[in-house]
Amino acid sequence: MSDNLFAVVRTVADLRRQVAAWRKAGDRVAMVPTMGALHEGHLSLVNLARGKADRVVASVFVNPTQFAPHEDFDAYPRDEARDSALLAEVGCDLLYAPTVGEMYAPGFSTTVTVAGVSEPLDGQARPTHFAGVATVVTKLLLQCGPDVAVFGEKDYQQLQVIKRLIADLDIPVEVVGAPTARAPDGLALSSRNAYLTPAEREAAPALARALNRAAERLRAGDPVEAVEAEGRAALEAAGFSRIDYFEARGAADLARQGPGPITGDTRLLAAALMGKTRLIDNLAV
Ligand code: PAF
């Protein structure tokens, strides 16, 4: 247990009061936005944030606007007591856990949409998702005003959307992307892994294996279309029931790669359904 005085605030006013006091004392502040159900991956973000600032604020807010009506907003795992204990243990200073009413007051009418990087991949599969993410991340950053904000590379497209909106809206914060934390068998850690049955959990690492194999082939100069087709076939063979995408894209602009070998900095991104659980993962090529 660290000996810091961990605290929880639920209002923008209380958050701002605490951050202002730290700033007055000359402290640099980092923020780690999350939706809770914390796992080692989130805790690695907090650890990274601690290395970049004197104070770390984590937010836990299951953001309704980034879930479509048929998605898992109601079922999304919530355990604030456990999340608080984990955050205190890794030396987080403050948990910001607003209510839905605090975040979206009656009459709330503003949406932040990011063209371009929001459009392909998850933008096709989940058409309203990134507007919800962009809106809540803009609000969280303006509410807290951190010097640095840490997001996981696990949600790689989300990270590019956030970088874009911060640049476009001149939000004075440094964004840091943290490497994906993985289970020993390669499965990317995700709060949604909790939905997998034991048999599905056993099959799920095929996603990371397919990405690794595809990255090797792309590095060797194999054509994008053949590599993507092999990746999709590997996921089908492993029991994934719906493959939303398995694609090589430009690492910063997420532009389509191919035909033929990759040119320039490339990221492989995949999303597929294992049972009822939609898993996403990605890899630098
Ligand atoms: O990555 C997440 O947990 C969420 O999308 C975020 C960035 C906290 C916004 O709700």
Side-chain angles (χ1 to χ4, degrees), residues 32-36 42 45 59-67 76 104 126 129-130 132-137 140 150-152 154-155 158-159 162 191-192:
V32 181
T34 83
M35 296 207 302
H42 297 110
L45 305 186
S59 61
V60 168
F61 179 65
V62 185
N63 173 35
T65 66
Q66 68 189 77
F67 292 78
Y76 199 84
Y104 298 113
R126 306 178 70 191
H129 175 65
F130 285 124
V133 170
T135 303
V136 82
V137 169
L140 287 166
V150 182
F151 297 88
K154 154 82 173 27
D155 296 298
Q158 167 175 285
L159 180 59
I162 290 167
S191 306
R192 290 193 169 97

Side-chain angles (χ1 to χ4, degrees), residues 2-63:
S2 90
D3 58 359
N4 70 334
L5 294 171
F6 179 75
V8 182
V9 291
R10 299 189 188 281
T11 64
V12 179
D14 285 346
L15 173 66
R16 289 202 170 131
R17 200 169 300 121
Q18 180 59 82
V19 172
W22 286 334
R23 284 207 183 293
K24 205 169 166 206
D27 286 349
R28 196 173 142 81
V29 178
M31 183 176 213
V32 181
T34 83
M35 296 207 302
L38 301 181
H39 51 64
E40 284 299 324
H42 297 110
L43 303 182
S44 73
L45 305 186
V46 174
N47 278 323
L48 203 157
R50 283 179 56 207
K52 298 200 169 281
D54 306 296
R55 300 290 182 173
V56 178
V57 180
S59 61
V60 168
F61 179 65
V62 185
N63 173 35

Side-chain angles (χ1 to χ4, degrees), residues 162-211:
I162 290 167
K163 283 183 174 168
R164 189 72 258 163
L165 81 84
I166 283 168
D168 290 354
L169 299 180
D170 304 312
I171 300 178
V173 63
E174 176 197 346
V175 179
V176 175
T180 302
R182 296 183 181 278
D185 60 10
L187 180 66
L189 299 188
S190 162
S191 306
R192 290 193 169 97
N193 292 351
Y195 301 152
L196 297 169
T197 65
E200 289 164 359
R201 173 63 189 80
E202 204 168 308
L207 181 55
R209 282 199 301 275
L211 287 168

Side-chain angles (χ1 to χ4, degrees), residues 82-95:
R82 182 177 169 278
D83 289 344
S84 298
L86 288 171
L87 289 169
E89 220 167 292
V90 292
C92 178
D93 296 282
L94 187 71
L95 166 60

